Amino acid sequence: MTELPNQSSANPTDRIVAALIVAAGRGVRAGGDIPKQYQVIAGKPVLRHTVDRFRDHPDVDAVVVVLNPDDSALADAALPDDVARVPGGDSRAASVAAGLAALPAGTTHVLIHDGARPLVTDAVIDRVLVALKSAPGAAPALAVTDALWRGGDGRVLAPTSRDGLFRAQTPQGFDLSAIRAAHAAHAGDAADDVEVALAAGLDVTIVEGHEDNIKVTLPGCFARAERLLTKGQTMDVRLGNGYDVHRFGPGDHVILCGVEVPHPRGLQGHSDADVGMHAITDAIYGALADGDIGRHFPPSDPQWKGAASEIFLRHAVDRATNRGFRIGNVDCTLVCEQPKIGPHAQAMRTALADIMALEVGRISVKATTSERLGFTGREEGIAAIATVTLVTP
């Protein structure tokens, strides 16, 4: 990406193009515990998908990302080392201005793009670049085709003409010196950079956008973006089984699937002997063909003596995530005569969901007896059987 591209219809050799990815916003409407641009879809953070679209384009010479300084750790995990980073400002316009000032020396044209638009196509980028050969600004858009109304208080007030109306997209491309001057002269914020350019008197050419070039804005956008990103890919489905047993010994409670259950005897083991969580953990390792708990946390290692079993489960979940899998569902059966599991099953599902960052509806915890047969029937211990599905992307 450091070498100048070869001659092409989109990018003649006398210009150097930088992509400026604006990703300093908080994206609160999208929900989630972290900003939307760092939430994972199709195995990668939204922002990484976006950045890769421009890193992989043959006519883009450099990529610069504008970030919120509070997101540095998230950015480190999401971005490759060859992408430059710039702290953003208090508004979108201020963030863009900061990014424009930090573009590499020699840059002649800039493509300003939303960090939360991970589906921009090469064809859209090409159309913007071609238009910039004869105009100081160019931006993709789609003509409004639906009927439009003005409304208020939940009622339609009047129809509105859709003639000449467009849905704006990015990247919005500009002659670098022209858009820098436009931002320097612009007071206050702006919805996008076309607004800044028009205020400065720049002509902006409209090029055809693409329906898939969506901006992730609301919670439902993540599922749509994932469907589009994975369209045509083959899903990898893995199934894993886990089985574990622990004997009874001294104690006044047992820990099962992360929940402390009163009982006249405790379960014995090198860790906290959570037989249910151990079975689930081994099921994940099994689906990954990645050994078992004993391989990753040897009982001969004293540091794991009395350890909380959620350490093992989180480790297994992280290994699955790092290999591009998500957990489809979990089914755990506890085999025992006592204690009674039913009154605690919902709390167990909730505890597992919290540890695994999974919806409760994807986790089943149930129990059965062995009809007084075998070691569980004699109440010598508890067994657990678990099945887990992993799917990708």
Side-chain angles (χ1 to χ4, degrees):
M1 201 166 61
T2 57
E3 297 180 359
L4 291 181
N6 294 327
Q7 178 79 29
S8 74
S9 60
N11 194 37
T13 55
D14 61 351
R15 65 179 178 179
I16 299 176
V17 177
L20 180 59
I21 312 300
V22 185
R26 313 319 292 153
V28 294
R29 287 183 293 169
D33 297 329
I34 58 176
K36 62 185 180 183
Q37 58 267 36
Y38 299 106
Q39 296 185 45
V40 174
I41 54 174
K44 294 192 295 187
V46 170
L47 181 58
R48 181 57 186 266
H49 285 289
T50 303
V51 167
D52 284 349
R53 296 281 173 149
F54 291 89
R55 289 177 75 234
D56 295 341
H57 194 284
D59 293 333
V60 174
D61 303 295
V63 177
V64 176
V65 182
V66 184
L67 303 168
N68 189 306
D70 294 338
D71 295 338
S72 57
L74 292 168
D76 287 343
L79 296 175
D81 294 336
D82 63 342
V83 171
R85 307 169 195 181
V86 178
D90 295 333
S91 65
R92 187 187 186 283
S95 292
V96 172
L100 292 173
L103 294 182
T107 300
T108 61
H109 291 79
V110 61
L111 301 174
I112 305 173
H113 189 71
D114 298 322
R117 285 190 191 268
L119 286 145
V120 62
T121 65
D122 283 353
V124 170
I125 296 172
D126 287 343
R127 286 194 284 269
V128 173
L129 289 174
V130 168
L132 286 177
K133 294 195 298 181
S134 56
L142 293 172
V144 174
T145 57
D146 295 323
L148 295 179
W149 306 324
R150 291 192 181 277
D153 298 325
R155 296 183 302 109
V156 175
L157 300 180
T160 297
S161 174
R162 63 191 175 212
D163 293 344
L165 295 182
F166 291 83
R167 292 184 283 140
Q169 296 184 339
T170 64
Q172 297 175 356
F174 301 95
D175 173 271
L176 180 57
S177 59
I179 195 63
R180 276 178 172 167
H183 269 277
H186 189 78
D189 202 7
D192 63 9
D193 298 285
V194 167
E195 180 179 341
V196 175
L198 294 178
L202 296 179
D203 288 333
V204 179
T205 298
I206 298 175
V207 302
E208 183 183 358
H210 197 288
E211 286 290 352
D212 290 351
N213 187 19
I214 64 171
K215 183 177 182 181
V216 175
T217 304
L218 301 173
C221 296
F222 291 102
R224 182 184 176 193
E226 178 139 6
R227 285 194 301 271
L228 292 170
L229 284 166
T230 59
K231 186 167 53 180
Q233 295 184 14
T234 301
M235 179 176 288
D236 187 359
V237 180
R238 303 284 190 93
L239 184 68
N241 293 313
Y243 177 76
D244 197 38
V245 173
H246 284 285
R247 69 169 66 90
F248 282 125
D252 60 4
H253 70 276
V254 294
I255 297 176
L256 297 172
C257 296
V259 175
E260 185 175 305
V261 179
H263 192 63
R265 290 179 290 172
L267 289 173
Q268 306 302 295
H270 189 65
S271 63
D272 63 6
D274 188 332
V275 64
M277 204 175 289
H278 291 179
I280 295 170
T281 302
D282 270 349
I284 298 173
Y285 288 141
L288 294 171
D290 200 16
D292 57 15
I293 293 177
R295 171 181 165 183
H296 298 282
F297 303 93
S300 58
D301 189 337
Q303 70 173 308
W304 307 121
K305 183 175 179 58
S309 294
E310 69 177 75
I311 295 172
F312 312 150
L313 182 56
R314 291 184 193 277
H315 178 265
V317 171
D318 287 344
R319 289 182 75 84
T321 301
N322 291 338
R323 286 174 56 175
F325 289 94
R326 60 180 176 85
I327 297 173
N329 73 296
V330 177
D331 183 20
C332 180
T333 301
L334 300 169
V335 185
C336 58
E337 301 293 332
Q338 295 290 338
K340 297 301 181 185
I341 302 303
H344 308 282
Q346 184 59 38
M348 294 175 185
R349 295 174 67 207
T350 300
L352 291 170
D354 181 62
I355 294 168
M356 303 176 76
L358 203 61
E359 299 170 7
V360 174
R362 294 185 179 272
I363 299 175
S364 168
V365 176
K366 58 188 187 299
T368 187
T369 70
S370 56
E371 297 293 334
R372 297 289 178 182
L373 299 174
F375 76 94
T376 57
R378 294 190 298 270
E379 298 189 38
E380 296 172 359
I382 298 178
I385 304 169
T387 301
V388 170
T389 56
L390 303 181
V391 296
T392 186

